[in-house]
Amino acid sequence: MELDFTAQEQAFEEEVQRFLADALPPSLAAKEAQGFHLHRRDVAPWHQALWRKGWIAPGWPQHFGGTGWLPMERFLFERACGVANAPEVSLIALSMVGPVLCEFGSDALRERFLEPIRRGDLWFCQGFSEPEAGSDLAAVRCRTRFEGDSIVLNGHKIWTTDAHIADYMICLARTSDVGRPREGLSMILIPMDAPGVRVRPIATLDGDHHINEVFLEDVAVPLENLVGEVNSGWAQARYLLGRERTHNAYVGMLRRYLARFPGLLQRQLAAGLDARVADGLLRDHVQLSLDVEAHEWSVLRLLADEESSQLRAGASAVKIRGSELLMKASELELMALGSQVIPAMTPAMTHTTAQPLPAGAGADAPGRVTQSLYWRAAAIFGGTNEIQRGIIYSTLFHR
Amino acid sequence: MELDFTAQEQAFEEEVQRFLADALPPSLAAKEAQGFHLHRRDVAPWHQALWRKGWIAPGWPQHFGGTGWLPMERFLFERACGVANAPEVSLIALSMVGPVLCEFGSDALRERFLEPIRRGDLWFCQGFSEPEAGSDLAAVRCRTRFEGDSIVLNGHKIWTTDAHIADYMICLARTSDVGRPREGLSMILIPMDAPGVRVRPIATLDGDHHINEVFLEDVAVPLENLVGEVNSGWAQARYLLGRERTHNAYVGMLRRYLARFPGLLQRQLAAGLDARVADGLLRDHVQLSLDVEAHEWSVLRLLADEESSQLRAGASAVKIRGSELLMKASELELMALGSQVIPAMTPAMTHTTAQPLPAGAGADAPGRVTQSLYWRAAAIFGGTNEIQRGIIYSTLFHR
Amino acid sequence: MDFRISDEQRLLRDTARKVLAEATGTSGDDAWMPFRELGWTALPIDEAHDGLGGSLVDLAFLLEELGRARCQVPYLECCVLPAMLLKALASRGVAHAELLGSLARGEQRLGVAVEERSSAESVGAFSTRLAATPSGFRLIGEKLLVVGGAACDGLLVVAVADHETCLVYVPPDAAGVRIRGYSAVDGRELADIEFVDVPVSESAVLARGTAVDEALVEAQAIALTLQCADIVGAMEASMEMTAEYLQQRQQFGQKLASFQALQHGMAVLFIACNEARSMLFRALSALGQADISLRRRAASGCKVKVAACARQVTGMAVQYHGALGMTTEYAVGHYLRRSIVAEQLFGNAHYHLAMCLADHAAVAK
Amino acid sequence: MDFRISDEQRLLRDTARKVLAEATGTSGDDAWMPFRELGWTALPIDEAHDGLGGSLVDLAFLLEELGRARCQVPYLECCVLPAMLLKALASRGVAHAELLGSLARGEQRLGVAVEERSSAESVGAFSTRLAATPSGFRLIGEKLLVVGGAACDGLLVVAVADHETCLVYVPPDAAGVRIRGYSAVDGRELADIEFVDVPVSESAVLARGTAVDEALVEAQAIALTLQCADIVGAMEASMEMTAEYLQQRQQFGQKLASFQALQHGMAVLFIACNEARSMLFRALSALGQADISLRRRAASGCKVKVAACARQVTGMAVQYHGALGMTTEYAVGHYLRRSIVAEQLFGNAHYHLAMCLADHAAVAK
C-alpha cells in the first residue's frame, strides 16, 4: 500500500495545471464558474485546445486517440480541470459514444465517427430514458423494424440533454421482444436531422434549457448505424456503466466550491455580513471540507484498488455522496449570499450589458441558484440515490 | 383556535411546581438527575407524597382515584415533574395495570389491586415481549391451559423491566389458537412469587440492571386473575397504546436536559474548556432547543386537537422524535463533558463515599453515559422507530 | 390551549384554497381582486379602520393557502406587513388611520422599503437619509428587495434623520424615485428603488425615533412568522403531491408507493411538515407575549426550524419525483424554488440561528 | 498511490484477526503475550532498536483488528504512543535507544501521562512541574486518564520545569507515585496518577523544551490517527454483525433483511464505514508530510469524521438489533461503548473540529 501520490503523478498534475493556465480562456472559465449551462459554441475553443494538445479523449484506447493515462492520471486531470473552472467537453460523445464504438463498433463506424468526435465536429446526445423507463432501463420500448438496409425507429425519448444542439443521438431501442426485456435492446446512432426526429425542449427548475424530449416517428437510419451486434445494447450500457465508476463523484466540482468559499465569505463580510453569521457558515464549510476529503479518498480508493470486491458498492457510494455533497456545497453558498440570490438571473445579465443585475446582487450571485437546483439532478440522473442504495445492499449484503 | 395556555392551566402548572418544591426530596431529585436506574425503595417516598396529595393516578377515571385532569393538565404535570427531576413512579402499575383494570377488570380484581397500587404497595412488571415476539406482538406464544379454577402458564418473556423487584406481572399470553394470531391473546396477572416463575437478569449496555428474562414453567394462577374477557388481550393492549399518545415523547426529560446544559457548559468553561469548543457546543444546544420546542408543540397539538385524523401518525412522529432528541441531548452532554465521561461510574461512587470518583470526573459526569446509552432503548421499546415510520406511512398515505 | 380550527377559520381556509387554485396564473391587479373582494386586505386591520380584525392565526391560515397555491401576490409584504407596522405605531401613539383604512379597503398596496445594500438586516443601521430643506425634507438613498415595490400605490421607507430612524411615506411616482423591478427565482416580483433627492413634506414623515425601531421589530417578527405559514403551506402541498405521485408512478413493475424505503422517506417528510407546523403555532402563540424580545426570538427560531424542514421536504419531494421533479412543467419543483426564495427573504436560517444564539448568550450572562 | 494491501500486511491482518479473536477475554499479562510473541511490540520501532520498522499503515491494519476484536490491551497507548514519542525525540537529536529497545522487545510497557485536570489538551499548559533539588529534581502534580497506567512498567510524564516542557521517566513504584486505576465505560483500564514529591534523577529527564513540544504534537497526531483505525475496525465489525443479524432475525413472518428500509439503512452504514476508512487513509498519507501542522490538522480532521461515522454506525447497529442490541450479552453494544470511549479519548469531534476551524481561520488570514 502506498498512500502518496508518486512523483510522476505529482509532475503530471503540475503539467495539467500549467496547461490549464495557458490554454483555458479566462472568459470561458469565468462563465463556467457561474454555473449556467454552457452552449456547444461556448465550449468549442476549449475543445480545440484539448484536441490540439492530444488530451481530448483520455478514456479511449490509445490507438484510437486516447492518452494512455492510468485511472489515477485521468482523475488528476479531471480534478484539475474542475478546480480551474474548465467546462466539460461534449461529454456524451467523448465518454460514451467514443468508448462504445472503440469497444463494440465496426471499423466503418469508427472511421466515420471517432475522428470527428475528437475534433469536436460532432456533438451527441444520449437517448436512453423514456417516460416509462427511467431508473428501469430494461423497460425501454422504442420500437424498431428492419426494412431493407434501414432500421426504422418509433419511440419517445425523454430527459435528453443537448438534443437541441446535437448532431447525433446514441439511442437505446428495442430490437427484439424475445427473452428477458433487457436482452432485446440495441444501440443505434441517429442523425438528429433525419426526417421524423422532433425535439421538444423541457424547461427545468434551474431556468436553463438543456434537456429535451425527442419523438422518433418512422425515423429511418442505415443498418450500419447499429452499434455492434443486434440485441447487445444492454451489455454495451453495462460496459459504459462499469467503466465510469468515479465521474459522478464530482470531485473536481466539489473542490471548486471549497476553493472559492473563503473568498466569497470574505467579500460578504466586507459587504456587511454579520460576523456571528459568518462564524456559523465557516463552521459548516470546515465540516463540509472534511466530508469532501473523505469523499475524495473514497474515489481514489476506487481508482487504485483493483482487487476489492466492493467496487460496485463503492461506485454507488461515491455517486450518492457526490450528489449529496454538491447539494450541500451549493446550498452553503446560497446561505452565505443570503438575499443576493433571490433575483432570477440569466446569463444575459452577466455576460452582456443589456440587462443589469439587481442592485443587491454582487458578482458572486449570478448562477448560484441555477447551479444549486441543477445539482438536484445529480441525485436523480444515472440511477437515483435510492437505486444506488439498493445496489449497495444487494452487492454487499444480499444472500 | 387558542394558542395560549389558559389562566387556569398556568395556575395549575404553578400549583404543581409549588408541590414539587415542597414534596420532592432534594436527595431523590439529585439521584434521579444523575440518571442511574432507581430502585423501588428509592422512589417510595415520592410515591407516598403523590398518594397523599391525591395525584398518584392522574390517568385513572376519577371514581377509581384518578385526578380528573384534562390531557393538557396531565401534560403540564408530567413536564413539571420532568424538569424538577422527579422520578417516574411505578409506571407499569399506574399507567398500564390500573387503566386496564378500570376499563376491563372485574369488580373483584379492581378491589384487590387498585388501592394497593395507588398506595405503592404493589409493584408490577409487564410481560408482553418474547424472544420471537418483539415488534410483532401478535406472535406471542406463551401457552396457557385451563385446569379447574386455574390457568397454567408456560412461556418465556423477555425485556421485562423491574421483574426482579415486582410483585406481579401483567402477562400477555395465548389462550386460543383459533382465528388470527392476535385474536387468541389474554391479559393475566401473575404473582412473581408463584412457583414456576424464574427471573434471570439481563445486563444492559448502560451498566444498570433493570431488565430481565422471565421463565414461566407450569405457573398456576387463579382464573379470576384473567383480566376481562378471554381472548380480549389484543384489544386491551391496543386500548393502552391508544391512550398513551404522548408519554413516549419525553418532553419533561428533554426540558430537563435543556435546562441544565447552560450551567454545565459554564462549569466546563470555568474548568478550562476551550472557548472555541464551547461556541460549537452552544450552537448545537440552541439548535437542539429549537427542535425540542417544535417537538413539544407537536405534543401539545396531539393533546388538544381532538378532531384531527392524524392522531395516530402524530403519536408515532413524537415517539420517533422524542427518542432522537433524547439521544442528541444526551450526546451533547457527553461532548461537553469530554474525557470526564470515560470512566465507568456506578451509583455507589456517587451516593456513597466507599468508592471515590476518578479525579477528572466532576459532579456532572456520573450517570451521563449510562443515561445516554439507556435512551437508545427509547428508539426500540414500544415499537421501534422503523415500525413507527411504517405506521405513519400506512395511516396517512396508504391506499 | 385549543387547536381546533374555528368555523370562520375553516371557511377562510376552504374559500382561499378554492379561490387561489382558480386564480393560478392571474397576475397584477386581477390577482389582487379576490384579496379585496373577499375582505382579505381587511383581515389584518381592526374594525375601527374598516378592517375585519382578524387574528394572527387567521392570517396564518390564509398565508398557508398562498403557499399551497404558490400565489405570487405580495399580500404579506404589501398589505399585512405595512398594516402591522402602522398598527404597531398606532399602539405607540402615532396614528395613521387614513393609511390603515385605505389598506383595509384595498385602495392602497404599500411597499415597505427597509433593506439596503449591505445592511445585513441590522436594525437602525440604515444609510438612506432624510435631509432637512427650507421647505421640508429630501430623501436620499437606495432600498433593495422591496417585494411588490414596482406595482404598489405607496412606499413606506425607513430612513435616518438626525440619528433617528423615521418612517416616510413616498408616492412611487414622486420626482426622483427610480424603481427597477425584477423577478425572483420563484417568479415573485421585487424592486430596487433609488431615491434621488426626493422631496418629502413634513406630513409624509409618519413617525420618528424609538417608536419606529420598535414597530419595525414588532412588524418584522409578525411578517417572519407569517412567511413561515406560507412555507408550511407550500411544504405540505409538496408532500401531498409526492404521496400522490408515488401511488401513480410505476417502476420495476410496481407502484413506487410499494417500496418501503420510499414509504419510510414519506414518514420522515411528514415528521418535518408536522414539526414545521408545530413551530409555526409556537411562534404565533409567542407573538401574543408582552416582551418584544421574546417575540423576536420566537420568530427567529420559527424561521430556523421551518426553513430547515422546508429544505428537506421540498427537496426530497423533487427527488421522489425523479427527473419529472426537475421540470418546470410539474408543480413540485416550483415549491422548491418558492422555499429557496422564502428562505433567503427576511433573513435565512443561518442569520436567525445567529440571532437566537446571540439572545441565548445574552440571557446566559 | 496504490491501495493494494501487501502480502505482509495481509498476513499481519489475518494473523491478528485470528489471534485476537481467540484471545477474547484474556487480560493482563496474558493478553499482552501475542503482542510480544508475534512481534507487534516491535512493529512501531525501527530495526536499529530491535524493532521491525513497520509503517504507519501496517500499524493501522493491526489497530483495526484491535477494534474489531474489541481488544482491551493498551497497545496503542503503552507501546505505539511512547515509541512514537521517543522516535520523534530521536529525530530531534534526543536519543533513548535503550527505552525504544525495551519497548520493541516487549520488556516495558510505558504509560504516557499527559492529560491533567482542566488542561483541555492544550499543549504547553501543564501544571505538573519538575522542581530542582540539590540532588536532582522532584515531580509534583497529577495526571489523569493514563490508559494502561495501572499496569505499566514505566511512566513517561510530561511536566514543566523553568517554563520548559520536559519528558520525565518515572518508575510506577517510585516513592510518591500514587496510582488509582479504574475501568472505562468499555472496560479498558485507565489510571489517575498523583506525583507527590517524586524524586527524579537528572538522567530520568529524557528531554526538554521545543523538542518535547514538537514530539508530543507529532506522536499525538499519530496516536489520534491510529485510534481512528481502531474505531474503523470496530465500526466495520459492527456493520457486518448487523448485516448478519438481519439475515437471521424473523419478524412479521419474514427475515428482517427482506425489509427495504433496513436494506437502505445498511447501505447508509456502508457509506459511513467506507468514508471513515477513506479519511483514515487520507490521514495516514498526511502523516508522511514534512509540515507538522498539516499532520496535526489531518489527524484532527480524521477524528472529526471517523467519530461522526462511528456514532452513526455503532448506534444504528444497536438499533437494528432491537432490544437484543441493548444487552451486554450481545457483542454489538460493546462496539457502541468502545466508540463512545474512543470518541472522548484524545479529544472528541467537537474539540477537533474547533482545532480545524482555528487552523482554517489562521490560514485564511
Side-chain angles (χ1 to χ4, degrees):
Chain A
M1 197 167 280
E2 175 49 57
L3 298 181
D4 294 310
F5 287 109
T6 61
Q8 202 180 344
E9 286 162 347
Q10 287 175 38
F12 174 78
E13 188 177 23
E14 283 158 24
E15 186 189 353
V16 173
Q17 286 164 341
R18 275 196 306 275
F19 172 66
L20 280 159
D22 287 349
L24 178 65
S27 62
L28 174 57
K31 224 165 171 177
E32 162 73 11
Q34 288 198 320
F36 293 116
H37 189 69
L38 297 182
H39 192 274
R40 177 175 172 175
R41 68 176 164 269
D42 295 321
V43 182
W46 176 233
H47 191 121
Q48 293 302 315
L50 286 168
W51 178 68
R52 282 191 303 269
K53 178 79 173 173
W55 285 1
I56 193 63
W60 298 12
Q62 224 170 333
H63 54 282
F64 289 122
T67 52
W69 290 340
L70 296 168
M72 190 61 77
E73 288 164 326
R74 284 195 61 192
F75 168 83
L76 291 171
F77 174 72
E78 287 174 12
R79 186 175 71 173
C81 286
V83 174
N85 295 308
E88 274 180 345
V89 283
S90 188
L91 189 67
I92 304 292
L94 288 161
S95 299
M96 301 191 54
V97 182
V100 160
L101 290 181
C102 293
E103 182 75 16
F104 300 97
S106 62
D107 284 345
L109 281 182
R110 292 171 181 158
E111 189 69 30
R112 265 172 70 196
F113 286 105
L114 292 185
E115 184 57 20
I117 284 176
R118 292 181 64 248
R119 274 203 315 270
D121 294 343
L122 286 183
W123 200 272
F124 274 74
C125 64
Q126 178 208 51
F128 284 14
S129 295
E130 298 180 4
E132 301 304 320
S135 292
D136 182 14
L137 274 188
V140 157
R141 287 183 190 170
C142 177
R143 323 285 322 165
T144 56
R145 62 177 196 272
F146 292 83
E147 288 190 356
D149 287 350
S150 293
I151 314 171
V152 181
L153 296 103
N154 277 283
H156 178 187
K157 292 293 176 181
I158 197 165
W159 320 127
T160 320
T161 300
D162 286 350
H164 56 303
I165 53 170
D167 304 297
Y168 277 86
M169 168 190 278
I170 181 163
C171 176
L172 195 64
R174 183 154 301 285
T175 39
S176 164
D177 292 318
V178 183
R180 300 170 65 188
R182 63 174 64 170
E183 287 163 4
L185 299 172
S186 298
M187 294 271 201
I188 300 164
L189 304 177
I190 304 174
M192 293 301 284
D193 58 1
V197 176
R198 189 163 59 84
V199 176
R200 194 183 75 86
I202 298 176
T204 47
L205 280 189
D206 53 16
D208 267 354
H209 172 209
H210 40 91
I211 63 173
N212 307 272
E213 282 184 283
V214 182
F215 299 91
L216 305 172
E217 284 173 53
D218 287 329
V219 176
V221 302
L223 253 183
E224 64 254 31
N225 281 21
L226 195 150
V227 181
E229 301 290 310
V230 178
N231 299 333
S232 66
W234 185 261
Q236 293 174 35
R238 297 265 311 179
Y239 167 78
L240 281 174
L241 197 75
R243 62 196 296 289
E244 270 307 336
R245 290 206 294 261
T246 62
H247 181 78
N248 285 328
Y250 291 105
V251 169
M253 185 61 74
L254 285 164
R255 290 231 159 253
R256 182 190 298 181
Y257 272 97
L258 291 184
R260 72 186 175 198
F261 190 78
L264 186 150
L265 195 58
Q266 281 301 332
R267 287 188 290 278
Q268 286 298 100
L269 275 165
L273 179 71
D274 189 304
R276 295 163 299 181
V277 179
D279 279 351
L281 291 163
L282 192 61
R283 188 178 185 80
D284 286 3
H285 168 70
V286 169
Q287 181 66 65
L288 179 69
S289 306
L290 295 175
D291 289 340
V292 171
E293 289 288 356
H295 175 63
E296 178 169 317
W297 277 76
S298 292
V299 171
L300 291 171
R301 287 168 59 211
L302 284 176
L303 294 174
D305 184 348
E306 306 197 348
E307 62 173 329
S308 165
S309 62
Q310 304 190 335
L311 268 187
R312 181 102 198 267
S316 290
V318 298
K319 177 169 188 313
I320 291 171
R321 288 298 285 159
S323 66
E324 288 176 349
L325 292 170
L326 270 180
M327 288 189 271
K328 260 196 196 161
S330 59
E331 188 182 286
L332 192 59
E333 283 194 340
L334 299 191
M335 292 299 163
L337 290 165
S339 59
Q340 286 196 41
V341 303
I342 290 176
M345 283 172 270
T346 62
M349 283 185 184
T350 60
H351 302 144
T352 71
T353 52
Q355 263 186 294
L357 278 174
D364 287 310
R368 298 279 61 76
V369 170
T370 295
Q371 197 165 32
S372 174
L373 285 166
Y374 183 71
W375 297 132
R376 299 254 151 215
I380 294 171
F381 294 136
T384 65
N385 285 1
E386 288 73 26
I387 298 280
Q388 305 299 336
R389 282 191 274 273
I391 291 172
I392 291 173
Y393 184 83
S394 62
T395 311
L396 292 179
F397 302 118
H398 188 64
R399 271 196 268 143
Chain B
M1 197 168 279
E2 177 49 58
L3 298 182
D4 294 311
F5 288 108
T6 62
Q8 204 182 340
E9 286 162 348
Q10 287 175 38
F12 174 80
E13 188 177 21
E14 283 158 23
E15 186 190 351
V16 174
Q17 285 165 343
R18 275 195 306 274
F19 172 68
L20 280 158
D22 286 349
L24 178 66
S27 62
L28 173 57
K31 224 166 172 178
E32 161 73 10
Q34 287 198 322
F36 293 116
H37 189 68
L38 297 181
H39 193 273
R40 179 174 169 173
R41 66 176 166 269
D42 294 322
V43 181
W46 176 232
H47 190 121
Q48 293 301 316
L50 285 169
W51 178 69
R52 283 193 302 271
K53 178 77 175 174
W55 285 0
I56 192 63
W60 299 12
Q62 225 170 332
H63 55 283
F64 290 121
T67 53
W69 291 339
L70 295 168
M72 188 61 76
E73 289 165 327
R74 286 196 60 194
F75 168 83
L76 291 171
F77 174 73
E78 286 175 12
R79 187 176 71 174
C81 288
V83 174
N85 294 308
E88 274 180 346
V89 282
S90 189
L91 189 66
I92 304 292
L94 287 160
S95 299
M96 301 191 53
V97 181
V100 159
L101 290 182
C102 293
E103 181 75 14
F104 301 96
S106 63
D107 284 345
L109 281 182
R110 290 171 182 159
E111 190 68 32
R112 269 173 66 197
F113 287 105
L114 292 186
E115 184 55 19
I117 284 177
R118 291 181 65 246
R119 276 203 312 271
D121 294 343
L122 287 184
W123 200 271
F124 274 75
C125 62
Q126 179 208 52
F128 285 14
S129 295
E130 298 180 3
E132 299 304 321
S135 292
D136 182 11
L137 274 189
V140 156
R141 287 184 192 169
C142 178
R143 321 287 319 169
T144 58
R145 60 175 198 272
F146 293 84
E147 288 190 355
D149 288 346
S150 294
I151 313 170
V152 180
L153 296 103
N154 277 282
H156 178 188
K157 293 292 175 181
I158 196 164
W159 321 125
T160 319
T161 301
D162 285 351
H164 56 304
I165 54 170
D167 304 297
Y168 278 86
M169 168 189 281
I170 181 163
C171 176
L172 194 64
R174 182 154 302 285
T175 40
S176 165
D177 292 319
V178 183
R180 298 168 66 188
R182 61 174 65 169
E183 286 162 5
L185 299 172
S186 298
M187 292 272 201
I188 299 163
L189 304 177
I190 304 173
M192 294 301 284
D193 58 1
V197 176
R198 187 162 60 85
V199 175
R200 193 184 76 85
I202 299 176
T204 47
L205 280 189
D206 53 16
D208 267 353
H209 171 208
H210 40 91
I211 64 174
N212 306 274
E213 281 183 285
V214 182
F215 299 91
L216 305 172
E217 284 173 53
D218 286 328
V219 176
V221 302
L223 251 185
E224 63 256 31
N225 281 21
L226 194 150
V227 182
E229 302 288 312
V230 177
N231 299 333
S232 66
W234 184 260
Q236 294 173 35
R238 297 267 308 179
Y239 167 78
L240 283 173
L241 197 73
R243 60 194 299 287
E244 272 305 338
R245 290 207 293 263
T246 62
H247 182 78
N248 286 327
Y250 292 105
V251 170
M253 186 59 75
L254 285 164
R255 290 231 159 254
R256 182 190 296 181
Y257 272 98
L258 291 185
R260 72 186 176 201
F261 190 79
L264 186 150
L265 195 59
Q266 282 300 330
R267 289 188 289 280
Q268 287 297 101
L269 275 164
L273 178 71
D274 189 304
R276 295 164 298 183
V277 179
D279 279 350
L281 292 164
L282 192 60
R283 187 179 185 80
D284 285 3
H285 168 70
V286 169
Q287 181 68 64
L288 179 69
S289 306
L290 294 175
D291 289 340
V292 170
E293 289 288 357
H295 175 63
E296 178 170 316
W297 277 77
S298 294
V299 171
L300 291 171
R301 286 169 57 209
L302 285 175
L303 295 175
D305 185 348
E306 305 197 349
E307 62 173 328
S308 166
S309 61
Q310 304 191 334
L311 270 187
R312 181 102 199 266
S316 290
V318 299
K319 177 169 189 313
I320 292 172
R321 288 298 286 160
S323 65
E324 288 175 350
L325 291 170
L326 270 179
M327 287 190 269
K328 261 197 194 160
S330 59
E331 188 181 287
L332 192 59
E333 283 193 341
L334 300 191
M335 293 299 161
L337 290 164
S339 58
Q340 286 196 41
V341 304
I342 289 174
M345 283 172 271
T346 63
M349 283 186 183
T350 61
H351 303 143
T352 71
T353 51
Q355 261 185 295
L357 279 174
D364 288 309
R368 298 279 60 76
V369 170
T370 295
Q371 198 166 31
S372 174
L373 285 166
Y374 182 72
W375 297 132
R376 299 254 151 217
I380 294 170
F381 294 136
T384 64
N385 285 0
E386 288 73 25
I387 298 280
Q388 306 298 338
R389 281 191 275 274
I391 290 172
I392 291 174
Y393 184 83
S394 61
T395 311
L396 293 180
F397 301 119
H398 187 64
R399 272 195 271 142
Chain C
M1 199 166 276
D2 181 359
F3 291 90
R4 280 172 301 183
I5 182 170
S6 72
D7 290 342
E8 290 78 13
Q9 286 165 342
R10 191 187 311 278
L11 182 65
L12 172 66
R13 186 184 69 183
D14 294 351
T15 307
R17 190 167 303 183
K18 189 164 157 291
V19 169
L20 292 173
E22 284 165 3
T24 305
T26 59
S27 63
D29 286 346
D30 284 353
W32 269 101
M33 242 181 20
F35 287 78
R36 269 192 294 270
E37 290 179 356
L38 294 165
W40 297 343
T41 53
L43 202 60
I45 294 157
D46 45 70
E47 280 130 354
H49 299 96
D50 288 350
L52 290 169
S55 67
L56 291 180
V57 175
D58 297 335
L59 287 168
F61 274 114
L62 183 53
L63 262 300
E64 266 188 43
E65 295 308 320
L66 265 74
R68 174 177 285 271
R70 308 189 310 281
C71 175
Q72 305 287 17
V73 175
Y75 169 66
L76 175 61
E77 295 87 352
C78 293
C79 175
V80 181
L81 175 57
M84 294 302 163
L85 203 46
L86 293 169
K87 282 164 73 174
L89 287 174
S91 77
R92 284 166 179 80
V94 190
H96 290 283
E98 70 296 352
L99 275 175
L100 273 170
S102 73
L103 274 174
R105 293 184 298 273
E107 294 162 8
Q108 286 214 59
R109 292 159 298 183
L110 299 177
V112 181
V114 182
E115 196 163 341
E116 300 181 353
R117 215 184 275 262
S118 85
S119 69
E121 289 139 40
S122 39
V123 177
F126 301 105
S127 66
T128 298
R129 63 200 168 84
L130 200 59
T133 63
S135 59
F137 306 93
R138 52 200 170 84
L139 184 66
I140 304 138
E142 187 186 30
K143 292 289 179 178
L144 308 182
L145 294 157
V146 183
V147 181
C152 64
D153 307 298
L155 291 163
L156 301 185
V157 183
V158 178
V160 173
D162 292 335
H163 306 291
E164 271 189 337
T165 315
C166 30
L167 189 69
V168 183
Y169 178 90
V170 179
D173 55 359
V177 177
R178 301 196 185 148
I179 301 181
R180 270 166 293 116
Y182 51 89
S183 302
V185 166
D186 66 347
R188 66 182 87 182
E189 296 295 330
L190 301 91
D192 296 340
I193 308 182
E194 224 178 326
F195 301 96
V196 185
D197 289 332
V198 178
V200 170
S201 68
E202 179 73 45
S203 66
V205 181
L206 303 180
R208 285 172 174 275
T210 330
V212 180
D213 292 327
E214 289 178 5
L216 263 178
V217 171
E218 193 165 316
Q220 284 178 331
I222 292 172
L224 189 56
T225 304
L226 292 176
Q227 183 202 37
C228 289
D230 181 309
I231 302 175
V232 166
M235 58 198 277
E236 285 190 354
S238 167
M239 171 181 74
E240 289 161 19
M241 179 171 279
T242 304
E244 200 64 37
Y245 179 75
L246 296 183
Q247 290 289 344
Q248 291 161 10
R249 175 74 174 171
Q250 301 263 335
Q251 287 277 277
F252 303 101
Q254 33 184 325
K255 286 197 297 191
L256 284 183
S258 67
F259 290 100
Q260 194 194 30
L262 302 186
Q263 293 179 354
H264 283 206
M266 286 306 298
V268 172
L269 297 196
F270 165 71
I271 292 174
C273 285
N274 191 51
E275 295 208 324
R277 174 173 293 284
S278 299
M279 202 67 176
L280 171 63
F281 285 166
R282 172 187 178 252
L284 287 168
S285 169
L287 288 176
Q289 306 238 8
D291 181 348
I292 196 168
S293 73
L294 277 183
R295 280 181 266 165
R296 190 166 52 88
R297 205 185 312 162
S300 281
C302 185
K303 182 70 182 268
V304 173
K305 180 75 187 174
V306 171
C309 292
R311 239 177 280 137
Q312 181 186 15
V313 171
T314 57
M316 281 312 287
V318 166
Q319 175 72 18
Y320 282 0
H321 277 78
L324 207 60
M326 287 300 297
T327 68
T328 56
E329 291 166 43
Y330 209 74
V332 71
H334 295 280
Y335 288 114
L336 175 59
R337 296 209 286 206
R338 189 178 184 89
S339 81
I340 287 176
V341 171
E343 158 113 45
Q344 304 301 342
L345 205 59
F346 302 160
N348 65 26
H350 269 265
Y351 173 79
H352 286 289
L353 182 64
M355 295 305 105
C356 294
L357 200 53
D359 283 340
H360 193 95
V363 169
K365 263 164 202 160
Chain D
M1 198 168 277
D2 181 358
F3 291 89
R4 279 172 302 184
I5 183 170
S6 72
D7 290 342
E8 291 78 11
Q9 286 164 342
R10 191 187 312 279
L11 182 66
L12 172 65
R13 185 184 71 182
D14 295 350
T15 307
R17 189 167 303 184
K18 188 164 160 291
V19 169
L20 292 172
E22 284 165 1
T24 304
T26 58
S27 63
D29 285 347
D30 283 354
W32 269 104
M33 243 184 19
F35 288 78
R36 270 192 294 270
E37 290 180 356
L38 293 165
W40 298 342
T41 53
L43 201 59
I45 294 155
D46 44 71
E47 280 131 353
H49 301 96
D50 287 350
L52 289 170
S55 67
L56 292 180
V57 175
D58 298 336
L59 287 168
F61 274 112
L62 182 53
L63 262 300
E64 266 187 44
E65 295 308 319
L66 266 75
R68 173 176 285 272
R70 307 190 310 282
C71 175
Q72 305 286 21
V73 174
Y75 169 65
L76 175 61
E77 295 87 352
C78 294
C79 175
V80 182
L81 175 58
M84 292 304 161
L85 204 46
L86 293 168
K87 281 165 74 173
L89 287 173
S91 76
R92 285 166 180 78
V94 190
H96 290 284
E98 71 296 350
L99 274 176
L100 271 171
S102 72
L103 274 174
R105 293 183 299 273
E107 294 161 8
Q108 287 215 59
R109 290 157 301 181
L110 298 178
V112 180
V114 182
E115 197 164 341
E116 300 181 353
R117 212 184 279 262
S118 86
S119 68
E121 288 141 37
S122 39
V123 176
F126 301 105
S127 66
T128 300
R129 63 202 169 82
L130 201 59
T133 64
S135 61
F137 306 92
R138 54 199 169 85
L139 185 65
I140 304 140
E142 187 186 31
K143 292 289 180 179
L144 308 182
L145 293 157
V146 183
V147 182
C152 64
D153 308 297
L155 291 163
L156 301 184
V157 184
V158 178
V160 173
D162 292 336
H163 306 290
E164 271 189 339
T165 315
C166 30
L167 189 70
V168 183
Y169 179 91
V170 179
D173 54 0
V177 176
R178 301 193 186 151
I179 301 182
R180 273 165 292 120
Y182 51 91
S183 300
V185 167
D186 67 345
R188 67 183 86 181
E189 297 294 331
L190 301 90
D192 297 338
I193 307 181
E194 226 178 325
F195 302 96
V196 185
D197 290 331
V198 178
V200 170
S201 69
E202 179 73 44
S203 67
V205 181
L206 302 181
R208 285 172 174 273
T210 329
V212 180
D213 293 326
E214 288 178 4
L216 262 178
V217 171
E218 191 164 317
Q220 283 178 331
I222 292 172
L224 189 56
T225 303
L226 292 176
Q227 183 201 37
C228 290
D230 182 307
I231 301 175
V232 166
M235 58 198 276
E236 283 190 355
S238 168
M239 170 182 75
E240 289 161 18
M241 179 172 280
T242 304
E244 200 65 39
Y245 178 76
L246 295 183
Q247 291 289 343
Q248 290 160 10
R249 175 74 173 168
Q250 301 262 336
Q251 287 277 276
F252 304 101
Q254 32 184 327
K255 286 197 297 193
L256 284 183
S258 68
F259 291 100
Q260 194 195 29
L262 302 185
Q263 293 179 354
H264 282 207
M266 288 304 297
V268 172
L269 298 195
F270 166 71
I271 292 174
C273 286
N274 192 50
E275 293 207 326
R277 174 172 293 284
S278 299
M279 202 66 176
L280 170 64
F281 285 165
R282 171 186 179 252
L284 288 168
S285 168
L287 289 175
Q289 305 240 4
D291 182 347
I292 196 167
S293 73
L294 277 183
R295 280 181 266 167
R296 188 166 52 89
R297 204 184 315 162
S300 280
C302 186
K303 181 73 181 265
V304 173
K305 180 76 188 175
V306 170
C309 292
R311 242 176 278 139
Q312 181 186 15
V313 171
T314 57
M316 281 310 289
V318 166
Q319 175 71 17
Y320 283 180
H321 278 77
L324 207 60
M326 287 300 297
T327 68
T328 56
E329 291 166 45
Y330 209 75
V332 71
H334 295 280
Y335 288 115
L336 174 60
R337 296 209 287 208
R338 189 176 184 91
S339 82
I340 286 175
V341 171
E343 159 112 45
Q344 303 303 341
L345 205 61
F346 302 162
N348 64 26
H350 269 268
Y351 173 79
H352 285 289
L353 183 64
M355 295 304 106
C356 292
L357 200 53
D359 283 341
H360 193 95
V363 168
K365 263 162 203 164

